[in-house]
Amino acid sequence: MKPTDTRPYFAAGIAAFVIWGFIPFPLKALAAYPSGQILYFRVASALVVLLVISLVFRRRKLLSTFAALQTAGPREKRTFIGYTLLGGLLLTINWLTFIYIINHINIQTGSFSYLLCPIITAVLGFLLLKEKLRLNQWLAIGLSALSCALIGSGELTSLVFSLLTAFSYAFYLITQRILKNYDKIVLLTLQLLLSFALIGPFYSYFKGDSMVMLDTHFFLNIGMLSLVFTVLPLFLNLFALKELTSGSIGILMYINPILNFVMAFLYFNEHTTTTKVAAYVLIFISVILYNINLKGRKKSGDGLVIPPVGTTAIRP
């Protein structure tokens, strides 16, 4: 059998993470609006798009997912409902904290969160899923903890929001791992539906006393955030996962936070401290150390750096 040409899949994977890497642009364009209000309209618009896609273009997948759920046992149904609800809640928290970080703290903190996230996911995989870690991975975890201590010693608020963003996304990946047999687009649609049901009644609270008008500028950027920076890279990522290994996607995932860092300093003119630089260097070293001998890892993926093949990561 002729080997599959993986170049289109690599191109799709790279494109997905490059797109996610530029997400600060639409978020910064909406900095005048409350974070909760941005979240509300992002969830609503992304949900509408995914519902249309699921009902019109992926109806068979939607029906097969619910058919599989109907034939599942009571325990499997409880697992599906529980982790879908939890996934929706975690996704809501993750998106809200990331929006707040980018617009009210700095891009560096958001980038740090997603460099830290795979390491945290590895620890959670070890604790919750009993996945094994190698010695170099434990050393990487130790360096990551040290980098967190450095960030916390200089600016506790940044550390708290970094950890909240990283832990919410890491726990979200764990829920996706547990629900690995279900279609990810269907799951995301249900999770966003639950997210909207959760935040919908509190729109007035999310809006607060903001008097900024919801004009064309607002809705254009919300549309970009939902279509270009949520749905499009998700489908590109799903396409890439058809042929690429978990290890390959795991390396590509770091494109996103690295681009965030570059933009923070070169475009948005953010400043940093010596302590933060040391913390960032440590987290970069820990990422490299963690991924040493990546090709030699088992197919199942020890440490759960990323979701295994057949699942997908939903970026902020």
Side-chain angles (χ1 to χ4, degrees):
M1 182 181 294
K2 186 179 179 180
T4 303
D5 183 4
T6 59
R7 286 177 296 180
Y9 300 95
F10 267 109
I14 291 170
F17 292 109
V18 167
I19 290 171
W20 275 317
F22 284 93
I23 199 171
F25 281 99
L27 290 179
K28 282 290 188 182
L30 295 168
Y33 299 89
S35 299
Q37 191 174 33
I38 298 170
L39 173 71
Y40 176 90
F41 283 99
R42 182 189 181 185
V43 170
S45 54
L47 175 59
V48 169
V49 173
L50 286 174
L51 281 173
V52 170
I53 291 172
S54 296
L55 294 173
V56 177
F57 301 105
R58 304 184 83 251
R59 187 179 179 85
R60 189 172 298 176
K61 283 284 186 182
L62 182 65
L63 294 175
S64 64
T65 298
F66 285 110
L69 187 61
Q70 285 180 340
T71 59
R75 183 177 179 180
E76 177 65 19
K77 288 179 180 177
R78 287 195 299 270
T79 299
F80 178 87
I81 294 171
Y83 283 105
T84 300
L85 286 169
L86 181 59
L89 177 61
L90 290 169
L91 200 59
T92 303
I93 293 170
N94 179 260
W95 283 9
L96 179 60
T97 54
F98 187 76
I99 291 169
Y100 182 84
I101 285 172
I102 296 298
N103 284 347
H104 299 286
I105 301 180
N106 53 52
I107 298 172
Q108 303 167 52
T109 301
S111 178
F112 182 79
S113 300
Y114 281 97
L115 282 173
L116 188 64
C117 182
I119 308 295
I120 291 177
T121 310
V123 176
L124 293 177
F126 172 78
L127 295 174
L128 302 177
L129 303 179
K130 309 303 179 185
E131 296 184 342
K132 295 181 180 179
L133 295 172
R134 301 189 307 274
L135 177 60
N136 63 292
Q137 293 172 324
W138 282 115
L139 291 174
I141 290 168
L143 285 178
S144 298
L146 180 57
S147 70
C148 288
L150 288 174
I151 291 288
S153 65
E155 197 172 335
L156 186 59
T157 301
S158 295
L159 176 62
V160 169
F161 275 96
S162 286
L163 290 176
L164 183 57
T165 303
F167 268 100
S168 60
Y169 185 58
F171 272 114
Y172 179 79
L173 290 184
I174 296 293
T175 65
Q176 297 304 285
R177 178 75 170 93
I178 293 170
L179 298 175
K180 62 182 180 180
N181 294 325
Y182 295 95
D183 183 82
K184 296 307 164 187
I185 297 296
V186 174
L187 279 178
L188 179 60
T189 304
L190 290 174
Q191 287 160 355
L192 288 184
L193 188 62
L194 292 167
S195 175
F196 189 73
L198 176 68
I199 66 177
F202 302 100
Y203 175 73
S204 59
Y205 173 79
F206 285 129
K207 179 180 179 295
D209 55 1
S210 174
M211 301 299 291
V212 184
M213 184 181 298
L214 301 183
D215 53 10
T216 304
H217 167 80
F218 176 83
F219 287 109
L220 280 176
N221 280 284
I222 286 293
M224 286 181 58
L225 190 59
S226 301
L227 289 171
V228 180
F229 292 93
T230 303
V231 176
L232 175 60
L234 170 61
F235 276 96
L236 288 170
N237 196 31
L238 281 172
F239 177 76
L241 281 167
K242 288 181 179 180
E243 291 294 335
L244 300 187
T245 64
S246 294
S248 297
I249 295 292
I251 294 299
L252 295 180
M253 281 183 71
Y254 294 110
I255 293 173
N256 177 7
I258 290 172
L259 281 176
N260 288 170
F261 264 120
V262 172
M263 284 189 298
F265 296 111
L266 297 185
Y267 186 85
F268 292 102
N269 298 316
E270 290 188 0
H271 300 286
T272 190
T273 64
T274 304
T275 302
K276 281 189 175 182
V277 170
Y280 298 150
V281 169
L282 280 177
I283 194 66
F284 274 115
I285 293 173
S286 70
V287 165
I288 295 169
L289 181 61
Y290 188 92
N291 288 288
I292 287 177
N293 296 325
L294 188 62
K295 292 182 179 179
R297 292 172 59 180
K298 295 179 180 179
K299 187 176 181 181
S300 61
D302 45 338
L304 193 64
V305 177
I306 61 159
V309 173
T311 69
T312 186
I314 313 299
R315 303 300 292 178

